[in-house]
């Protein structure tokens, strides 16, 4: 697995944890850490998580490579 996909997975995990917190506790961790959900830093994180999710879609349809 190359670095790009590892970064994508990390971002997807961050997004999943954030959505879990929103669903369970109505607490937006990204917005809390980065100064509100409309702040530029939070919007950048949301955008990166969305791009990472889109970039990971092809991995659903390919077989995983054998690591040596």
């Amino acid at each position: 697995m190359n670095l790009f996909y590892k970064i994508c997975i990390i971002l997807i995990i961050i997004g999943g944890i954030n959505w879990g917190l929103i669903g369970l506790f109505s607490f937006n961790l990204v917005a809390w850490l980065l100064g509100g959900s409309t702040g530029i830093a939070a919007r950048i994180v949301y955008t990166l998580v969305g791009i990472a999710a889109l970039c990971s879609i092809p991995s659903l349809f390919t077989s995983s490579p054998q690591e040596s």
Side-chain angles (χ1 to χ4, degrees), residues 23-62:
L24 292 172
F25 306 112
S26 296
F27 178 70
N28 189 336
L29 180 64
V30 172
W32 182 74
L33 288 174
L34 300 175
S37 61
T38 59
I40 189 70
R43 292 181 65 194
I44 289 170
V45 170
Y46 298 145
T47 302
L48 290 174
V49 168
I51 291 170
L54 290 175
C55 291
S56 67
I57 290 172
S59 67
L60 293 172
F61 304 104
T62 60

Side-chain angles (χ1 to χ4, degrees), residues 2-4 14 19-20 22-24 30 33-34 37 46 50 52 59 66 68:
N2 63 25
L3 181 63
F4 175 73
I14 290 169
W19 276 110
I22 291 170
L24 292 172
V30 172
L33 288 174
L34 300 175
S37 61
Y46 298 145
S59 67
Q66 299 290 332
S68 302

